[in-house]
Amino acid sequence: MEPPILSNAEGTVAEEQEEHRRELRNTLACAARSCRALSEPALAVLWKTIDDVTHLLSVFPHFRPCLSGSIIFMFHHDITDSAWRRFQTYAPIVKVLQQSISRWERISKSVWIALARRCGLSPLLPNLEVLSTIPLGYESPYITIFLTPTLRRLTLNYGELNYAEDHYSTRALFRSITKTSPDVTHLTLLNGVEEDADYPGRTKDVAVAYELQPLKRYDGLQSLDVGDSILDLDMLQWLADLPDLHTLKGTIAMGCRDVGEDDLSSDDEGRFDEGSFQHLKTLALRGKPHELGVFLRETGVSILETLTLNILDPVPPALLCRHLTSCIRSIVDHKNLPIQDFTLKYCHEDEYEGRIMYSVMDFARPVLTMHVLKRVSFLFYKLPSLTDEDLAQMIDAWPNLTALSLPGTKLYYPKRARPTASCLVAFAQRCPHLRTLTLPEIETRTLPEISDMPYVNHPLHRLQVWWDMSRSTDLRKLAIFVDRLFPCVIFHEYSKEASTSLLNPDRPLPKEDKLSDCLRAMQEGRRHCGLLKLLPRARAAPIAGCVSPTVW
């Protein structure tokens, strides 16, 4: 059977699972080499999913680096008939090709020219069902040899469209894709622009709406993620009538009038039918706050489970709170949606900072009425004030909470109210289902004495906190505090680039990886306590700097 790829709560492949998958694939490879009877079924599994096309092209004997030590691969001789026949025995087996953009750049364009000459009008991988991620642009015409009518999941990367010619060539390729692979059900479009680490959620540019018009050939779409590409009102009205669409992600621009301080519901003009988007379960929208509100009020979403709102432009926090309250009220009061995952992104510098001090609760208060939430994230350019009382209200409002993310930022900002160590005790005692917790900096001066630290034994798996530590901070005491609350936790530090305290940029932080070492040592000690008890106890005094068996 296919080596499994399992995901954890955050949607990422765990290291242990990925290592197990590699071991299974190595075992299959050994079986294919050792026994002719096992060769065919083992190769069928091994070649079904590949994450680097160079592995497949290595079937050709003359496919190797251009020069010694080079990372660019090419054919050093023409493809022979026998080599092509051998390649064709493996090509039909491949069902999934998942390759990063950087790996495409490691293959010389002459390789695709030679393969296209051999393929003719036939696809290179005739039974391919999943293709990710392939560049879309005039410099990547080789995309056509991977297109096949069997494709069901496709991820394209626009790259940076700097000139008018780029847009025209991209649209031509896009039309070719929709004609050759008309049965795509899951489509993802990337713009190739990475987010700025200091400005999460920000990108340089977005694609224009008319480039998405060829999408209307895909009547069977189930999942569409256009990233930063714009979905205008015409595209949204077309998507609203798709019967199987359950996931929609993108940037909306409907041309709605911003009513400002007037009645936020006065711009509802019946743009969507009552039954629009009725099968939508996952929705992630980026746009102006008033347009996000109009979309949620007018559409017929009724079984939505995951909602992400990304505010496109900076607005006064008071107006943003009003828009957010209006959105949540329409969800809770009128539709009663079963949303379990909510994310709010406001990745803009606060132009009103210094005039009014806002709190996270100003934005989270309307969300407190959604009592079935399990995963909640608030992502800000600069996190507003946050106190133990705010977190206590969240704990009371979301009894089934499994993940809470309120990350800080590595950028310096004036001191604001922050939670104390007591909030971790509250999470441990009152959130039995919590598995992932991300908080901004916590002052270590509020740590209780070791004798007063409670034993909770909470099964929290991942903790990310920025401790506001001084040179006198007792790491052992801090480690004992965390270990008594969360004995199985994996502690994650913030970026290693941040070497100063958020609250005082002139005071250097001690290395937080020492805290992780302490926690791991405690966990390993418990895990191997049976073996450690068998070790002889030394009566002699331990050598300076060494750990003697008596310590255990």
Side-chain angles (χ1 to χ4, degrees):
M1 60 185 295
E2 170 69 13
I5 303 179
L6 305 176
S7 299
N8 57 19
E10 286 73 39
T12 57
V13 178
E15 294 181 2
E16 304 83 12
Q17 298 166 347
E18 181 61 25
E19 180 64 27
H20 179 58
R21 181 171 179 266
R22 283 196 293 267
E23 292 177 357
L24 290 176
R25 294 184 68 86
N26 290 335
T27 302
L28 287 172
C30 294
R33 297 188 187 101
S34 62
C35 178
R36 185 178 296 274
L38 294 177
S39 177
E40 184 175 348
L43 289 176
V45 174
L46 285 172
W47 288 106
K48 180 181 178 181
T49 301
I50 58 177
D51 56 9
D52 191 345
V53 75
T54 57
H55 297 162
L56 181 62
L57 297 180
S58 297
V59 172
F60 295 104
H62 301 296
F63 180 76
R64 57 180 184 269
C66 298
L67 300 171
S68 178
S70 174
I71 63 172
I72 307 298
F73 287 77
M74 63 174 295
F75 289 134
H76 288 264
H77 295 282
D78 293 337
I79 301 175
T80 62
D81 293 340
S82 61
W84 181 248
R85 284 193 297 269
R86 183 168 183 261
F87 175 81
Q88 288 185 310
T89 61
Y90 295 104
I93 304 175
V94 180
K95 300 291 183 66
V96 179
L97 173 58
Q98 295 176 325
Q99 175 158 300
S100 63
I101 294 296
S102 59
R103 287 180 175 174
W104 290 108
E105 298 172 352
R106 292 163 49 187
I107 302 176
S108 171
K109 290 182 172 58
S110 62
V111 172
W112 310 117
I113 296 174
L115 291 173
R117 190 183 303 117
R118 281 283 181 174
C119 290
L121 298 178
S122 302
L124 183 66
L125 306 175
N127 297 320
L128 194 64
E129 297 177 0
V130 179
L131 178 58
S132 169
T133 301
I134 193 163
L136 181 64
Y138 72 95
E139 291 184 348
S140 56
Y142 53 82
I143 183 179
T144 55
I145 69 174
F146 287 97
L147 297 180
T148 170
T150 61
L151 273 180
R152 296 297 180 268
R153 296 172 180 262
L154 179 62
T155 301
L156 302 171
N157 190 302
Y158 272 108
E160 296 189 32
L161 307 178
N162 298 319
Y163 305 99
E165 293 80 359
D166 298 344
H167 292 274
Y168 284 110
S169 62
T170 298
R171 276 187 292 164
L173 284 171
F174 209 167
R175 286 195 297 268
S176 176
I177 292 172
T178 56
K179 292 178 181 178
T180 308
S181 305
D183 297 326
V184 171
T185 58
H186 295 69
L187 180 63
T188 300
L189 303 179
L190 308 175
N191 68 347
V193 181
E194 296 183 356
E195 293 183 354
D196 190 332
D198 291 340
Y199 300 82
R202 290 190 181 185
T203 53
K204 297 179 181 179
D205 199 1
V206 295
V208 293
Y210 62 78
E211 291 175 353
L212 302 181
Q213 292 301 317
L215 287 180
K216 293 186 176 181
R217 294 178 181 268
Y218 291 140
D219 294 331
L221 271 181
Q222 300 177 18
S223 174
L224 176 63
D225 181 358
V226 299
D228 294 321
S229 299
I230 296 175
L231 295 170
D232 59 8
L233 182 59
D234 178 63
M235 283 296 300
L236 289 172
Q237 290 174 341
W238 172 76
L239 290 169
D241 297 329
L242 295 182
D244 301 321
L245 187 68
H246 57 72
T247 300
L248 177 61
K249 300 178 182 180
T251 301
I252 62 172
M254 299 186 294
C256 302
R257 180 173 59 91
D258 188 356
V259 297
E261 297 295 335
D262 299 331
D263 183 10
L264 295 174
S265 62
S266 63
D267 191 36
D268 296 354
E269 299 178 356
R271 299 173 179 83
F272 300 97
D273 297 333
E274 184 176 351
S276 60
F277 297 105
Q278 58 182 345
H279 299 294
L280 209 59
K281 292 185 177 181
T282 300
L283 179 63
L285 295 181
R286 181 170 177 256
K288 297 180 179 179
H290 67 280
E291 292 197 336
L292 297 176
V294 169
F295 183 91
L296 290 174
R297 287 193 298 271
E298 292 194 13
T299 54
V301 289
S302 57
I303 58 174
L304 197 63
E305 298 177 356
T306 300
L307 176 62
T308 299
L309 301 178
N310 190 347
I311 309 303
L312 183 60
D313 296 326
V315 296
L319 183 58
L320 176 59
C321 293
R322 291 192 60 201
H323 281 296
L324 184 61
T325 302
S326 176
C327 293
I328 302 304
R329 187 178 300 150
S330 65
I331 292 174
V332 176
D333 296 344
H334 304 296
K335 299 181 179 180
N336 194 24
L337 299 179
I339 297 178
Q340 299 181 6
D341 192 330
F342 177 82
T343 300
L344 174 65
K345 297 182 181 180
Y346 185 74
C347 304
H348 306 283
E349 188 170 3
D350 188 3
E351 300 177 357
Y352 305 87
E353 184 178 7
R355 305 178 192 176
I356 301 177
M357 185 63 71
Y358 285 91
S359 167
V360 170
M361 285 307 299
D362 293 330
F363 304 91
R365 188 167 287 106
V367 189
L368 296 180
T369 59
M370 304 165 64
H371 299 296
V372 297
L373 284 178
K374 293 183 178 180
R375 295 169 295 276
V376 182
S377 298
F378 291 96
L379 307 179
F380 291 87
Y381 172 79
K382 293 182 179 179
L383 189 70
S385 298
L386 180 67
T387 64
D388 291 344
E389 291 73 18
D390 298 336
L391 293 174
Q393 293 185 54
M394 297 180 189
I395 292 173
D396 293 335
W398 306 318
N400 299 318
L401 195 64
T402 61
L404 177 64
S405 180
L406 286 160
T409 171
K410 71 179 183 180
L411 298 177
Y412 168 72
Y413 50 79
K415 185 173 182 178
R416 298 177 178 179
R418 284 293 179 258
T420 66
S422 301
C423 74
L424 295 179
V425 178
F427 279 110
Q429 294 177 340
R430 300 164 58 189
C431 293
H433 307 292
L434 192 64
R435 295 298 179 268
T436 302
L437 180 61
T438 302
L439 295 174
E441 62 276 11
I442 292 180
E443 295 185 4
T444 57
R445 294 190 298 270
T446 59
L447 285 176
E449 296 299 325
I450 295 180
S451 58
D452 298 329
M453 293 180 182
Y455 288 91
V456 181
N457 196 26
H458 189 283
L460 185 72
H461 176 71
R462 184 180 187 274
L463 174 65
Q464 186 172 18
V465 174
W466 200 329
W467 304 99
D468 180 41
M469 295 186 287
S470 64
R471 294 184 181 275
S472 59
T473 300
D474 188 347
L475 282 179
R476 176 178 172 274
K477 180 180 178 182
L478 179 57
I480 293 175
F481 174 73
V482 176
D483 185 71
R484 289 187 178 183
L485 297 178
F486 314 112
C488 300
V489 74
I490 298 177
F491 181 72
H492 292 260
E493 302 88 1
Y494 279 93
S495 172
K496 296 294 184 180
E497 299 175 0
S499 59
T500 58
S501 170
L502 291 176
L503 301 183
N504 188 348
D506 298 325
R507 183 178 62 202
L509 278 172
K511 294 182 178 179
E512 292 196 355
D513 54 1
K514 293 182 180 180
L515 176 60
S516 298
D517 293 340
C518 292
L519 292 174
R520 281 194 294 268
M522 294 176 179
Q523 294 171 8
E524 289 298 322
R526 286 191 296 271
R527 188 175 294 114
H528 302 289
C529 61
L531 178 62
L532 293 172
K533 288 179 180 179
L534 299 178
L535 294 176
R537 293 181 176 271
R539 296 182 178 180
I543 301 174
C546 298
V547 178
S548 69
T550 56
V551 175
W552 304 107

